Amino acid sequence: MMFFIPDDVKSPVWIENPEQAEFFIAIAKKRGHSFVMLGVMIHDKPMVFSRVGKICLPEKKGLFGEVLNLNVEISYEAYAITYEHYLRFLDLIANILPSGKKIHAYQREPNSNMFVYSKINDARSKSTDVSEEEKKILSHERCSIILSTCRNMAIKLLEYVLSNREQTDKTSRLFFRDLPSKICFEEGRTHQYFYVRPNPPTAYCASKDSVKYKRLSKIYQRMEHLISKDEQNPNTKTKFDALKKLYVEQAGIADISIDVALQSVLQWHEDHRNIISELRKPSFFTTYFGLKSSTESMSLELEDELLHLNNACKG
């Protein structure tokens, strides 16, 4: 996919096919303040399109747009969304903000793939009806910081866009707590690794008792654990990307297609053997005893479980 990337964080951005691009939403924390930021991944780096947070000061209260050119380290938790999810966020802001308040974001020009940084209220039509979900967002936006902090507000925005509360179950509601990952920005850009989690297993499985749910959960948990430490290690990034590829592939396989799922895991293991077998912090002990990496061990467990199920089905 092709992109035109500007030098300035507020200059127009051209995306060849927005509907196929990997957008993201992240809940983030800068010092003691939590907010949400949305954007698109360009050449494996985040391009922030919008940043919104709740501020509660005597002279300034409510939901406000925040600068895109971050110059600070933040902690964050990012999730994959589609362009349609991004539009859902823009429509929400247009609907709940009073006419006098301004929040800017990158928005697509009519009949074009060019995105321009502009005021949301002016670029989008305001709906006459406010949904129940939007009313809940409004109640959090208007109530005191004692009842709803910037972290609470960020979580509500995240849940609204994702339409899945399970993704925020593990997210701390305490605004002073850091989020799982960290990254440094300079003038709104970063040279560090940025991790975007895929949709959770519940997005693909109706039942938590299904074989597919258990399989996806095992891969998803491995991804989460992997980036909980040494996240800027190149091996961490390559393993995460490999696991994410396996996860997305397995998510597209029907629950009953055990043989297809097995072949997928076997092929993935073969294709990524050198990546997943490498230990991030090898020692004399691990080398001497030939210990396997946790990612490779997980792959072998999946293979054994699927092989057993496949044999039972053929039984």
Side-chain angles (χ1 to χ4, degrees), residues 21-234:
E22 183 182 20
F23 281 77
F24 68 85
I25 181 170
I27 180 171
K29 173 179 169 286
K30 179 185 70 173
R31 302 186 182 94
H33 175 58
S34 296
F35 53 91
V36 293
M37 60 182 191
L38 298 89
V40 65
M41 295 300 290
I42 298 179
H43 305 317
D44 214 25
K45 299 296 180 187
M47 173 78 186
V48 180
F49 273 15
S50 180
R51 193 162 79 86
V52 174
K54 179 179 179 178
I55 298 174
C56 218
L57 298 172
E59 71 282 3
K60 192 176 183 180
K61 295 181 180 179
L63 205 59
F64 287 87
E66 303 186 20
V67 295
L68 301 187
N69 58 331
L70 284 163
N71 281 288
V72 69
E73 180 184 72
I74 65 169
S75 62
Y76 73 96
E77 199 167 50
Y79 300 93
I81 59 171
T82 64
Y83 176 57
E84 290 302 317
H85 285 103
Y86 182 63
L87 294 180
R88 176 176 165 85
F89 169 78
L90 296 179
D91 288 338
L92 168 70
I93 299 301
N95 283 345
I96 68 173
L97 280 187
S99 56
K101 187 177 284 189
K102 300 177 182 179
I103 288 184
H104 290 71
Y106 272 96
Q107 298 174 89
R108 192 175 184 176
E109 291 279 87
N111 304 314
S112 170
N113 287 346
M114 189 69 77
F115 286 74
V116 176
Y117 191 71
S118 57
K119 191 169 76 170
I120 294 174
N121 313 56
D122 290 344
R124 311 194 73 74
S125 58
K126 194 178 182 74
S127 174
T128 54
D129 297 320
V130 179
S131 69
E132 288 302 315
E133 282 187 282
E134 290 171 341
K135 287 178 182 177
K136 289 178 183 178
I137 299 288
L138 269 173
S139 68
H140 277 270
E141 194 259 349
R142 291 171 178 171
C143 69
S144 71
I145 196 168
I146 297 174
L147 298 174
S148 178
T149 66
C150 55
R151 178 67 64 90
N152 298 137
M153 187 73 226
I155 289 173
K156 288 296 177 184
L157 291 170
L158 189 70
E159 290 176 346
Y160 179 88
V161 173
L162 296 173
S163 301
N164 190 327
R165 293 189 175 184
E166 183 171 322
Q167 282 167 284
T168 64
D169 281 350
K170 298 177 183 177
T171 305
S172 174
R173 267 59 181 170
L174 302 175
F175 67 88
F176 51 82
R177 286 272 179 89
D178 279 346
L179 293 153
S181 300
K182 290 186 178 181
I183 191 169
C184 286
F185 281 92
E186 294 180 10
E187 294 299 322
R189 301 283 195 266
T190 184
H191 298 293
Q192 295 184 318
Y193 299 130
F194 185 77
Y195 294 93
V196 180
R197 295 163 170 80
N199 287 321
T202 48
Y204 305 101
C205 306
S207 171
K208 291 186 178 182
D209 294 324
S210 69
V211 173
K212 181 175 177 178
Y213 176 85
K214 293 173 182 177
R215 184 168 70 251
L216 291 180
S217 294
K218 185 168 288 190
I219 304 170
Y220 199 87
Q221 288 165 12
R222 183 66 211 136
M223 280 191 287
E224 288 187 314
H225 183 75
L226 189 69
I227 59 176
S228 66
K229 58 182 180 180
D230 208 15
E231 59 193 297
Q232 293 306 320
N233 184 329

